[in-house]
């Protein structure tokens, strides 16, 4: 069965020019592979996780990527200097303090010129379905109704993911949290479109995107779109081999 919110977002695609790429994490679950390299540079299916993300951005027509760095930042910066043309890459430096997901995006806002932009985790790998997932998100975006539009995947299709789901979705596509102690049908993929207003009155320092999502969920302004391709939570060394096996690379 294909899940798609009925509304909103039936008009032309919202132009998405900028992506925030979250690449500052410590990668503790990926040890020992991250003892000497940052997790975004761990190779999966023949290339670093970060390159998988950057390739998806180029394919979707993204023009600028803001990448945050903290753990082994010089390695990430050197890698980004060797990228193909076609994507303007800026660094948001978190060497002094790791700011988590919400704090990291908030710090990078001065480098993000747009009111609506993409936020992507660098440690997940996805394969597009019939339509490019980022372009599909852009088509579904409705600025009047949404502060965040999350790409989600059915729990049963969340490869290498050990959780019990993150969200429930109503027929309009609005997301709510799973009930305590109960599974939820959808897992967040680490890909979302957000409005700059989501960060209005955001706290200082380190904090999770969950804080901002919860506030917007209470106002019914967080929506979901179900990914129609493959998705992998490549968070541990065993997940690498499993991912490559599913992709037919072993």
């Amino acid at each position: 069965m294909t899940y798609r919110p009925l509304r909103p977002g039936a008009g032309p695609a919202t132009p998405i020019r900028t992506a925030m790429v979250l690449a500052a994490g410590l990668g503790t679950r990926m040890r020992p592979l991250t003892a000497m390299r940052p997790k975004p540079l761990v190779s999966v299916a023949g290339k670093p996780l970060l390159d998988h993300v950057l390739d998806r951005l180029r394919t979707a027509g993204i023009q600028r990527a803001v990448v945050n760095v903290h753990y082994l930042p010089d390695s990430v910066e050197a890698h980004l200097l060797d990228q193909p043309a076609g994507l303007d890459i800026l660094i948001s430096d978190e060497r002094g303090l790791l700011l988590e997901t919400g704090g990291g995006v908030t710090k990078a806002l001065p480098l993000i010129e747009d009111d609506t932009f993409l936020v992507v985790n660098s440690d997940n790998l996805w394969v597009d379905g019939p339509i490019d997932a980022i372009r599909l998100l852009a088509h579904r975006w409705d600025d009047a109704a949404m502060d965040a539009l999350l790409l989600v995947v059915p729990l049963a299709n969340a490869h290498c993911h050990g959780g019990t789901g993150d969200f429930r979705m109503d027929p309009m596509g609005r997301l709510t949290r799973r009930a305590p102690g109960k599974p939820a049908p959808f897992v967040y993929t680490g890909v979302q479109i957000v409005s700059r207003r989501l960060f209005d009155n955001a706290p200082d320092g380190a904090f999770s995107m969950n804080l901002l999502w919860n506030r917007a969920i209470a106002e019914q302004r967080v929506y979901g779109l179900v990914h129609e391709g493959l998705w992998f939570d490549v968070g541990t060394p065993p997940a690498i081999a499993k991912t490559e096996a599913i992709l037919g690379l072993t």
Side-chain angles (χ1 to χ4, degrees):
M1 180 177 180
T2 298
Y3 298 83
R4 286 184 180 175
L6 302 178
R7 292 176 179 272
T14 299
I16 304 296
R17 302 185 307 162
T18 304
M20 172 76 196
V21 181
L22 299 172
L26 300 175
T28 53
R29 291 192 304 137
M30 190 61 86
R31 290 177 181 167
L33 298 181
T34 51
M36 300 297 292
R37 76 182 74 177
K39 185 177 180 182
L41 300 188
V42 171
S43 184
V44 180
K47 61 185 173 183
L49 284 164
L50 181 56
D51 287 3
H52 284 284
V53 171
L54 296 177
D55 286 349
R56 291 283 176 266
L57 299 184
R58 292 187 187 92
T59 299
I62 300 297
Q63 300 170 22
R64 170 179 290 191
V66 178
V67 183
N68 65 347
V69 297
H70 173 79
Y71 179 61
L72 300 176
D74 293 345
S75 297
V76 178
E77 289 190 354
H79 184 79
L80 291 172
L81 287 173
D82 196 31
Q83 287 293 311
L87 187 63
D88 183 21
I89 298 177
L90 304 177
I91 298 295
S92 180
D93 193 333
E94 295 182 23
R95 282 173 171 84
L97 177 65
L98 181 61
L99 293 171
E100 300 185 42
T101 52
V105 179
T106 301
K107 176 182 171 58
L109 286 176
L111 301 175
I112 299 171
E113 300 174 349
D114 307 292
D115 290 332
T116 305
F117 56 95
L118 190 73
V119 179
V120 188
N121 293 356
S122 65
D123 58 354
N124 297 323
L125 188 153
W126 77 93
V127 177
D128 285 325
I131 302 175
D132 179 295
I134 295 174
R135 294 183 187 274
L136 192 56
L137 281 169
H139 274 282
R140 291 289 185 269
W141 179 259
D142 184 335
D143 194 66
M146 303 173 177
D147 288 339
L149 175 60
L150 280 56
L151 187 70
V152 297
V153 66
L155 178 59
N157 297 338
H159 298 294
C160 310
H161 185 72
T164 55
D166 301 314
F167 296 104
R168 305 186 67 84
M169 184 187 299
D170 73 11
M172 297 292 288
R174 288 184 292 255
L175 296 181
T176 54
R177 294 286 189 180
R178 68 179 179 89
K182 296 184 178 180
F186 297 106
V187 173
Y188 174 54
T189 64
V191 183
Q192 62 176 323
I193 289 178
V194 297
S195 168
R196 200 178 192 91
R197 63 177 165 267
L198 182 68
F199 301 88
D200 289 348
N201 301 312
D204 295 328
F207 67 93
S208 170
M209 282 294 301
N210 287 307
L211 178 68
L212 305 181
W213 286 342
N214 288 343
R215 185 174 65 182
I217 286 172
E219 298 175 355
Q220 298 187 344
R221 295 189 60 83
V222 177
Y223 284 72
L225 176 70
V226 178
H227 181 47
E228 297 180 356
L230 298 174
W231 177 80
F232 304 89
D233 181 359
V234 192
T236 64
I240 296 175
K242 185 176 180 180
T243 296
E244 292 174 341
I246 294 172
L247 291 173
L249 299 177
T250 58

